[in-house]
Amino acid sequence: VTIMRGCFGGCTFCSITMHQGRIIQSRSERSILAEVERVASQPDFKGTISDVGGPTANMYKMRCTRPEIEAKCRRLSCIHPTICPLLGTDHGPTTALLAKARAVDGVERVHVASGIRMDLAARDPAYVDALARHHVGGHLKVAPEHVSAVVLTAMKKPTQDTFEAFREVFAAASARAGKEQYLVPYFIASHPGSTPKEMIELAVFLKRNGYRPRQVQDFIPAPMDVATCMWHTGLDPFTLAPVQTCKRLRDRMVQRALMQFFKPENWFLVRRALLDEGRGDLIGSGRECLIPGDPPPEALEARRRAAERAARSGRARGPEGEDDGAHDDADAGSATDATYTHAEDAGTSPTVAPTPRTFGYRPHRSGAGRRDVGSDPAGGTPDRRPARGPDRSPGGGPSRGPRRPRPPAR
């Protein structure tokens, strides 16, 4: 059940602010409860409302307390780098709405599956308590996105301390509710400002806190995003300061592998990245180490399969066994028009279907276009017209006589 539209977070990688607006548009409580009642009246309803939220679940009826200033404000984000003192952050309307939705006949559980803004939720312990007690189905989505201060500044997200503080508040609220519940943090790889150094910092944080993200979000330069401008120009559009960008497919795969360092098939990529950054101390059997000193059998098997694919397609291999042909620049394109089939999807090695060379008809010119079939020495596609007989007529038929000369140009 959607309860609001818009977002005043202003994250640079998100375009919700552009196509839904920075000012929150909240549905009326009567409209929302009427929809909950309609859902509950369906014969196949099982008693659970899977989500009551929106782009951000805890921004319902939040907006600037000074409408005359809101009409003129040009601030990209109302909560970055700090929460605006004019922003109304009361969670009371959201808490009351959730309680009324739970009271609808036939409704047994009302979950909040949309992500919440941690810095706003931490301001209202009563909201966090109600959330942990009634509206979390075991996992709560949050979006710290990264831990590096450089990347978080480029994203316009709060600092890592915000996530750690909210994690403690949520754990305490879950303990008071007598439930074992967990946070599901979202992280992004290859965002502008992110390099292997920042991704190693994130990997160490994940290792220390026992997180193993199964799904990794790779930054995609989507339309209307501020981060897309950074990705294309290499500059922060607000300060014109240089920003490191990750454009090569090989570099993007390295950052993704660092976030999923625990997967055996990523061992070689992670090892090379750690050595290149001078972090060999993270290789071994120590408590802080990301990968073991010796490659696991799964890594060797993955490298063997990659070597077989490379041999079939005729590509070279890198020093650590990775397939260099799979890591070419993603934005470089191809010198010829071709159709590629992904090896893992098709079950075969990638194939290329080059566009054939052709020779067009060139009047009044003796050359490849007038040669007989199979007589093209340049290796292109031969002329497909019928061969001419000795009398220069197609197929050896009767000649039409000599051509009349062209009149002189005026």
Side-chain angles (χ1 to χ4, degrees):
V1 178
T2 302
I3 62 175
M4 44 79 66
R5 292 288 189 188
C7 181
F8 48 71
C11 301
T12 58
F13 55 83
C14 180
S15 60
I16 289 179
T17 302
M18 296 298 297
H19 60 76
Q20 291 191 11
R22 182 166 55 93
I23 300 175
I24 302 300
Q25 306 294 327
S26 301
R27 291 177 64 184
S28 67
E29 187 177 278
R30 181 179 64 180
S31 173
I32 296 170
L33 295 177
E35 182 176 350
V36 173
E37 292 173 357
R38 288 196 302 270
V39 173
S41 64
Q42 299 297 320
D44 56 346
F45 180 66
K46 304 300 182 181
T48 300
I49 301 293
S50 60
D51 186 21
V52 175
T56 304
N58 61 329
M59 287 186 181
Y60 179 66
K61 290 195 174 180
M62 289 187 182
R63 62 183 307 166
C64 184
T65 57
R66 300 280 299 276
E68 68 279 7
I69 295 180
E70 180 184 52
K72 298 182 292 183
C73 180
R74 294 296 178 265
R75 184 172 171 175
L76 178 65
S77 172
C78 299
I79 50 182
H80 185 275
T82 58
I83 298 178
C84 178
L86 299 180
L87 178 66
T89 59
D90 181 21
H91 287 74
T94 307
T95 306
L97 174 65
L98 294 173
K100 292 180 180 180
R102 294 197 311 268
V104 173
D105 292 338
V107 175
E108 299 176 4
R109 291 173 296 274
V110 176
H111 291 165
V112 175
S114 302
I116 68 169
R117 187 79 187 198
M118 298 177 293
D119 45 359
L120 294 176
R123 288 193 162 200
D124 195 336
Y127 170 74
V128 179
D129 285 340
L131 197 66
R133 187 174 297 274
H134 302 291
H135 304 292
V136 177
H139 297 86
L140 179 64
K141 298 176 183 177
V142 292
E145 307 297 2
H146 218 283
V147 298
S148 169
V150 175
V151 183
L152 291 174
T153 300
M155 293 178 172
K156 295 194 179 300
K157 295 287 289 185
T159 61
Q160 175 189 350
D161 298 338
T162 303
F163 170 64
E164 295 181 348
F166 180 78
R167 182 178 57 183
E168 296 177 359
V169 171
F170 180 74
S174 297
R176 288 192 296 269
K179 295 183 176 182
E180 184 179 356
Q181 301 178 138
Y182 305 94
L183 295 178
V184 179
Y186 287 170
F187 296 101
I188 295 181
S190 306
H191 190 277
S194 177
T195 66
K197 177 182 177 181
E198 283 73 27
M199 292 306 298
I200 292 173
E201 182 181 351
L202 175 57
V204 171
F205 171 82
L206 296 175
K207 177 68 179 294
R208 289 175 180 172
N209 293 276
Y211 289 117
R212 289 194 169 193
R214 296 180 180 179
Q215 296 179 346
V216 176
Q217 299 180 88
D218 285 327
F219 169 75
I220 297 177
M224 299 187 293
D225 290 349
V226 176
T228 300
C229 179
M230 297 182 186
W231 188 84
H232 278 285
T233 64
L235 299 173
D236 187 324
F238 304 105
T239 64
L240 298 183
V243 177
Q244 294 287 337
T245 59
C246 180
K247 295 185 178 181
R248 298 181 62 209
L249 179 59
R250 180 192 181 97
D251 298 335
R252 294 174 69 90
M253 294 181 68
V254 168
Q255 294 203 21
R256 182 187 183 94
L258 284 169
M259 194 182 298
Q260 295 181 313
F261 60 90
F262 51 88
K263 287 191 172 184
E265 57 268 26
N266 291 336
W267 188 88
F268 287 102
L269 284 175
V270 174
R271 179 179 180 272
R272 172 52 54 190
L274 293 176
L275 293 178
D276 289 345
E277 294 296 326
R279 296 304 307 270
D281 58 301
L282 297 178
I283 303 175
S285 58
R287 184 177 180 181
E288 296 289 332
C289 292
L290 299 180
I291 57 174
D294 297 324
E298 295 86 351
L300 297 174
E301 178 63 21
R303 185 173 68 169
R304 184 189 65 80
R305 291 195 302 266
E308 292 178 353
R309 291 196 301 266
R312 286 195 300 265
S313 59
R315 291 196 298 262
R317 298 185 52 75
E320 290 297 324
E322 63 268 15
D323 186 358
D324 283 354
H327 305 301
D328 294 337
D329 290 355
D331 54 356
S334 174
T336 60
D337 296 331
T339 302
Y340 290 85
T341 303
H342 197 281
E344 296 179 359
D345 295 340
T348 60
S349 60
T351 57
V352 181
T355 302
R357 294 178 57 190
T358 59
F359 293 95
Y361 176 66
R362 293 171 287 183
H364 311 296
R365 179 177 177 183
S366 59
R370 289 181 176 270
R371 294 189 182 120
D372 294 340
V373 176
S375 61
D376 180 18
T381 301
D383 190 14
R384 299 299 181 185
R385 294 189 300 276
R388 295 180 181 271
D391 55 355
R392 307 298 298 169
S393 62
S399 175
R400 292 176 295 178
R403 294 184 178 181
R404 299 176 59 185
R406 285 187 173 184
R410 294 181 180 179

